């Protein structure tokens, strides 16, 4: 089957995400946009995944647990996980490798944690925008060990991408797919890899109408991941 997706959306837990980007609002807007599969990929954390999965289910959508990892090279990697248990374990792994730098909400923005029903349950005090100690060279095998898949994010952007920060694409990284923000940007040298395009929305107005489709076997996070792995 083919399904419309947006696998890179930020919630209010990301300091750069609008306060309106609650799990419930994201799921509601995704349904209005005609999407069928979404992933909220906050910076260096999966703590909103349970609320997002619950909100998506209420709107008849599939939510894939996700994170936007910042590597030691300050490149962003979209990480998709197969279930909430794997997401929680991966989130703990990343958090242990995130510098203990206190967030300055007046500079970077709030990092509000919401539960099901969009009720506030806490605030993340550590700055989530920091680079972790995890290298881009380790991300593909690392995500595979958690049952997930790693995808270099918005490689066509001039900052926080593997292309801009490392100046090249290295096949030894082991990625089978890459993400572009500009849907018209082409990378002929990567034709053998799978290409996805997402909104990277930080506010509701930036969420895109259903345009991009993914071929999947079943409507499940595991099926989405399988389609973006090397072995396919």
């Amino acid at each position: 089957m083919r399904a419309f997706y947006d696998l890179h959306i930020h919630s209010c837990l990301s300091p750069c995400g609008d306060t309106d980007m609650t799990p419930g609002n994201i799921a509601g807007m995704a349904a209005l946009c005609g999407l069928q599969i979404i992933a909220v990929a906050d910076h260096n954390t999966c703590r909103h995944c349970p609320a997002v999965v619950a909100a998506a289910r209420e709107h008849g959508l599939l939510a894939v647990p996700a994170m936007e990892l910042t590597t030691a090279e300050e490149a962003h990697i979209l990480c998709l996980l197969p279930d909430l248990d794997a997401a929680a374990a991966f989130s703990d792994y990343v958090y242990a490798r995130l510098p203990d730098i206190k967030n300055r909400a007046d500079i970077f923005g709030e990092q509000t944690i919401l539960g099901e029903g969009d009720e506030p349950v806490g605030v993340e005090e550590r700055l989530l925008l920091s680079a972790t100690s995890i290298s881009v060279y380790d991300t593909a095998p690392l995500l595979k060990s958690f049952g997930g898949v790693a995808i270099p994010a918005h490689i066509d952007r001039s900052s926080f991408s593997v292309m801009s920060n490392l100046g090249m694409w290295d096949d030894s990284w082991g990625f089978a797919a890459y993400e572009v923000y500009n849907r018209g940007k082409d990378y002929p040298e990567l034709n053998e890899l799978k290409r996805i395009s997402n909104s990277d929305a930080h506010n509701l107005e930036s969420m895109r109408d259903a345009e991009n489709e993914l071929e999947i076997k079943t409507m499940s996070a595991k099926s989405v991941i399988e389609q973006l792995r090397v072995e396919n």
Side-chain angles (χ1 to χ4, degrees):
M1 71 178 75
R2 299 188 67 82
F4 290 108
Y5 70 87
D6 187 344
L7 299 175
H8 190 165
I9 302 168
H10 287 271
S11 79
C12 57
L13 180 51
S14 290
C16 47
D18 277 10
T19 56
D20 287 343
M21 293 296 276
T22 67
N25 285 347
I26 291 170
M29 180 60 77
L32 289 174
C33 289
L35 297 169
Q36 297 164 281
I37 305 172
I38 62 171
V40 169
D42 286 312
H43 290 288
N44 293 324
T45 185
C46 294
R47 292 193 66 178
H48 262 177
C49 289
V52 170
V53 168
R57 188 181 298 119
E58 290 182 3
H59 289 274
L61 309 175
L62 168 67
V64 179
M67 174 195 294
E68 184 171 31
L69 173 70
T70 304
T71 70
E73 300 85 359
E74 296 194 347
H76 288 177
I77 306 294
L78 177 62
C79 304
L80 304 179
L81 287 307
D83 52 49
L84 291 176
D85 287 342
F90 180 64
S91 192
D92 288 344
Y93 180 93
V94 172
Y95 197 78
R97 289 155 181 81
L98 186 69
D100 190 10
I101 300 173
K102 186 177 176 62
N103 180 41
R104 282 282 305 276
D106 58 324
I107 297 175
F108 301 108
E110 298 285 351
Q111 298 180 155
T112 306
I113 305 169
L114 303 177
E116 293 187 22
D118 288 350
E119 290 297 320
V121 296
V123 174
E124 174 54 58
E125 298 290 347
R126 188 178 296 188
L127 179 62
L128 294 173
L129 290 177
S130 301
T132 68
S133 61
I134 302 168
S135 173
V136 65
Y137 289 88
D138 299 325
T139 54
L142 174 62
L143 265 295
K144 186 174 182 181
S145 73
F146 282 92
V149 65
I151 303 165
H154 43 66
I155 69 167
D156 51 334
R157 284 188 166 166
S158 59
S159 60
F160 299 114
S161 74
V162 293
M163 294 300 222
S164 66
N165 288 30
L166 287 89
M168 62 175 183
W169 183 277
D170 189 339
D171 289 338
S172 72
W173 291 332
F175 299 119
Y178 64 95
E179 177 200 69
V180 294
Y181 176 76
N182 182 350
R183 287 156 288 186
K185 181 70 173 179
D186 191 27
Y187 289 89
E189 70 274 26
L190 303 181
N191 279 346
E192 294 185 2
L193 305 182
K194 297 160 188 178
R195 168 192 173 108
I196 60 173
S197 179
N198 299 302
S199 69
D200 192 12
H202 290 68
N203 54 66
L204 294 173
E205 294 77 12
S206 297
M207 291 181 63
R208 295 176 178 172
D209 288 335
E211 294 181 355
N212 300 304
E213 290 183 284
L214 188 66
E215 182 71 37
I216 54 176
K217 295 177 181 178
T218 63
M219 190 63 75
S220 68
K222 289 183 179 179
S223 186
V224 171
I225 290 168
E226 286 172 1
Q227 294 306 309
L228 298 170
R229 275 185 170 165
V230 175
E231 49 264 41
N232 286 327

